[in-house]
Amino acid sequence: MSTDHASRPWYCRDDLVDEYRTTLTTGGEKLPMLKALKILRAIIVNLGLLALSGYAIQQGGHPTVLGFVSIMVIGAYNGLELGDYLALVQAYQEVQALDPGDGGDSE
């Protein structure tokens, strides 16, 4: 087995990081586009969940139950999005570590 998996943080899933590494190294989508699409998707889903919850409460739903369920669903969704985003960042860092002279960054 390769040893690069041992250096990954515990919160990064290996299969996601490997998939993003493949995407980044094959010249597929660029990182800014991936990040922008993920942020846009998260904003749309969060606003949609909040709007549906607010509408349900406005129509007479129980605010305590709907509020609790809404917070739990939004938290679970954002947790999954955060994990996916952190895997993307980890893959980007691994690709940069393999080929440091390609990006033009001076870190």
Side-chain angles (χ1 to χ4, degrees), residues 8-22:
R8 290 182 181 160
W10 61 269
Y11 49 82
C12 291
R13 290 182 39 201
D14 288 335
D15 54 342
L16 280 176
V17 174
D18 291 337
E19 184 176 330
Y20 282 129
R21 280 184 67 176
T22 303

Side-chain angles (χ1 to χ4, degrees), residues 5-106:
H5 291 243
S7 65
R8 290 182 181 160
W10 61 269
Y11 49 82
C12 291
R13 290 182 39 201
D14 288 335
D15 54 342
L16 280 176
V17 174
D18 291 337
E19 184 176 330
Y20 282 129
R21 280 184 67 176
T22 303
T23 300
L24 291 170
T25 56
T26 58
E29 297 181 49
K30 298 297 181 195
L31 184 64
M33 180 57 77
L34 284 172
K35 287 170 59 176
L37 289 175
K38 287 185 179 302
I39 291 170
L40 182 63
R41 179 179 67 191
I43 290 171
I44 290 171
V45 170
N46 282 318
L47 289 178
L49 286 170
L50 289 172
L52 286 173
S53 301
Y55 182 72
I57 290 172
Q58 181 185 11
Q59 294 300 313
H62 195 275
T64 304
V65 173
L66 287 173
F68 177 75
V69 170
S70 300
I71 296 289
M72 297 307 292
V73 169
I74 290 171
Y77 174 75
N78 286 322
L80 290 172
E81 283 292 317
L82 179 64
D84 191 40
Y85 181 74
L86 291 175
L88 174 62
V89 170
Q90 179 68 29
Y92 182 72
Q93 290 173 351
E94 289 179 12
V95 168
Q96 291 300 317
L98 291 177
D99 192 18
D102 190 32
D105 265 4
S106 58

